[in-house]
């Protein structure tokens, strides 16, 4: 169960105050695309995704999309949003994330991952030894490939909640926050 425990939990990525990331000295925010930034059916970034990216940039935080989805889906969305991306990154394994961090040439303490799946996003972040925020999925429907993971995720999520292992991002005490 330890590999599924996120650093923090949020209802969605859009409710998190940018000051939270600043207080943690985050320079790169790795963000899952489908059901974290927008629905998997959304081909272009929503206004709120664009606003989030711009607000992060104002605080010197670069958003990078990290997705298990295919190149065309991810590249189209990321290019329209104006951010770097890595598709087919191989979550829940850490190899793709570690490779990206090495390319960025940054300390892992300056990197955080935000995603809507415990079984892929949070497990990959924990394996890569970076902080993570688990967010609830934005829309009800999922891709077929995701539905299988969600069955197991429900069991894990209930256990984590029962043992009070989700810390809400707004309740974490940070010196500069």
């Amino acid at each position: 169960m330890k590999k599924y425990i996120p650093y923090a939990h949020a209802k969605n990525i859009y409710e998190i105050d940018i000051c939270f990331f600043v207080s943690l000295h985050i320079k790169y925010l790795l963000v899952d695309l489908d059901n974290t930034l927008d629905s998997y059916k959304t081909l272009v970034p929503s206004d709120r995704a664009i606003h989030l990216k711009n607000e992060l940039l104002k605080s010197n935080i670069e958003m990078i999309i990290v997705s298990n989805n295919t190149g065309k889906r991810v590249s189209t969305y990321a290019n329209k949003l104006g951010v770097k991306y890595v598709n087919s990154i191989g979550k829940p394994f850490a190899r793709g994330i570690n490779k990206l961090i090495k390319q960025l040439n940054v300390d892992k303490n300056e990197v955080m991952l935000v995603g809507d799946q415990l079984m892929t996003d949070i497990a990959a972040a924990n394996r890569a030894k970076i902080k993570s925020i688990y967010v609830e999925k934005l829309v009800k429907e999922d891709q077929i490939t995701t539905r299988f993971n969600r069955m197991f995720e429900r069991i894990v999520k209930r256990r984590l909640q029962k043992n009070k292992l989700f810390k809400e991002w707004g309740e974490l005490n940070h010196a500069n926050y």
Side-chain angles (χ1 to χ4, degrees), residues 26-41:
I26 300 301
K27 299 291 181 210
Y28 293 92
L29 193 64
L30 310 183
V31 183
D32 177 58
L33 173 54
D34 296 326
N35 246 334
T36 299
L37 277 177
D38 275 310
S39 164
Y40 76 94
K41 293 179 180 178

Side-chain angles (χ1 to χ4, degrees), residues 6-87:
Y7 177 78
H9 172 263
K11 180 180 175 190
N12 62 61
I13 192 169
Y14 301 109
E15 79 165 13
I16 305 167
D17 192 313
I18 303 300
C19 293
F20 176 74
F21 301 120
V22 172
S23 74
L24 293 169
H25 308 287
I26 300 301
K27 299 291 181 210
Y28 293 92
L29 193 64
L30 310 183
V31 183
D32 177 58
L33 173 54
D34 296 326
N35 246 334
T36 299
L37 277 177
D38 275 310
S39 164
Y40 76 94
K41 293 179 180 178
T42 305
L43 300 178
V44 297
S46 61
D47 289 342
R48 63 184 180 174
I50 295 166
H51 179 75
L52 174 63
K53 184 216 49 168
N54 291 336
E55 291 301 307
L56 287 166
L57 280 177
K58 287 179 188 175
S59 295
N60 296 312
I61 301 171
E62 183 177 345
M63 176 193 292
I64 301 174
I65 294 176
V66 291
S67 177
N68 282 347
N69 213 322
T70 61
K72 186 167 172 71
R73 157 83 175 119
V74 180
S75 65
T76 300
Y77 186 98
N79 288 333
K80 288 188 186 286
L81 186 56
V83 299
K84 294 177 188 170
Y85 67 92
V86 180
N87 59 279

Side-chain angles (χ1 to χ4, degrees), residues 41-157:
K41 293 179 180 178
T42 305
L43 300 178
V44 297
S46 61
D47 289 342
R48 63 184 180 174
I50 295 166
H51 179 75
L52 174 63
K53 184 216 49 168
N54 291 336
E55 291 301 307
L56 287 166
L57 280 177
K58 287 179 188 175
S59 295
N60 296 312
I61 301 171
E62 183 177 345
M63 176 193 292
I64 301 174
I65 294 176
V66 291
S67 177
N68 282 347
N69 213 322
T70 61
K72 186 167 172 71
R73 157 83 175 119
V74 180
S75 65
T76 300
Y77 186 98
N79 288 333
K80 288 188 186 286
L81 186 56
V83 299
K84 294 177 188 170
Y85 67 92
V86 180
N87 59 279
S88 305
I89 197 158
K91 298 175 286 184
F93 304 105
R95 183 176 180 213
I97 291 171
N98 285 331
K99 182 178 176 184
L100 175 60
I101 292 170
K102 187 175 181 179
Q103 288 172 348
L104 295 170
N105 194 28
V106 295
D107 187 295
K108 287 187 175 194
N109 291 322
E110 297 175 322
V111 180
M112 178 177 265
L113 186 145
V114 181
D116 69 302
Q117 291 188 63
L118 294 169
M119 312 304 275
T120 56
D121 302 313
I122 305 309
N126 286 337
R127 285 181 171 135
K129 296 180 174 44
I130 61 172
K131 289 182 178 73
S132 63
I133 298 181
Y134 170 66
V135 294
E136 302 298 324
K137 62 184 188 171
L138 285 177
V139 295
K140 191 174 184 172
E141 65 272 352
D142 275 314
Q143 290 176 296
I144 291 172
T145 53
T146 306
R147 291 179 195 160
F148 181 74
N149 281 346
R150 295 278 189 204
M151 289 187 301
F152 294 106
E153 183 174 281
R154 280 191 285 277
I155 297 165
V156 172
K157 186 176 175 181

